Amino acid sequence: MARRRYKPEGIIAKLREAEILLGQDMKVAEVVKELGIHEVTYYRWRKEYGGMKVNQMKRLKEIEKENSRLRKAASDLTLDKMVLQEAVKGNF
């Protein structure tokens, strides 16, 4: 069986739907069956995305992308600094 990848917006929508169904006195097992996901997946999503709105999720993804770019830039600069320090010492 092929795995389906959900986008964060879809995950948030599924979690909202789950909240509605749980509010109607359905059990978690029944809710995840209705949503077509596994119970472990539901709890993992709820831990990661619980209480978020779509615009908050988009902002989080933007910040994560920027953080990754800045980390790469910092590591490149650190490597350049180390190479220059070795060149100054004469160990080349």
Side-chain angles (χ1 to χ4, degrees):
M1 184 181 238
R3 290 180 55 176
R4 180 166 179 191
R5 303 282 298 178
Y6 289 95
K7 295 186 183 226
E9 295 84 10
I11 293 171
I12 293 171
K14 291 265 186 192
L15 288 174
R16 291 231 173 117
E17 188 177 341
E19 288 177 20
I20 292 168
L21 293 173
L22 287 170
Q24 297 172 354
D25 293 332
M26 289 181 74
K27 295 182 180 174
V28 174
E30 296 169 343
V31 170
V32 295
K33 188 175 182 180
E34 177 93 15
L35 296 175
I37 59 173
H38 197 274
E39 192 169 341
V40 175
T41 303
Y42 167 73
Y43 286 115
R44 185 171 29 90
W45 284 356
R46 196 176 74 174
K47 179 182 174 186
E48 187 172 349
Y49 300 106
M52 282 192 175
K53 293 184 167 88
V54 175
N55 59 350
Q56 292 172 326
M57 176 53 56
K58 288 180 181 178
R59 180 70 180 138
L60 177 64
K61 292 298 178 184
E62 289 172 5
I63 290 172
E64 287 175 348
K65 187 183 285 187
E66 182 180 2
N67 191 21
S68 173
R69 184 182 59 80
L70 292 173
R71 283 180 190 258
K72 185 177 184 309
S75 66
D76 289 345
L77 290 173
T78 303
L79 183 61
D80 290 344
K81 178 183 171 190
M82 290 172 55
V83 168
L84 290 173
Q85 285 176 341
E86 288 294 319
V88 169
K89 289 180 184 177
N91 297 334
F92 50 89

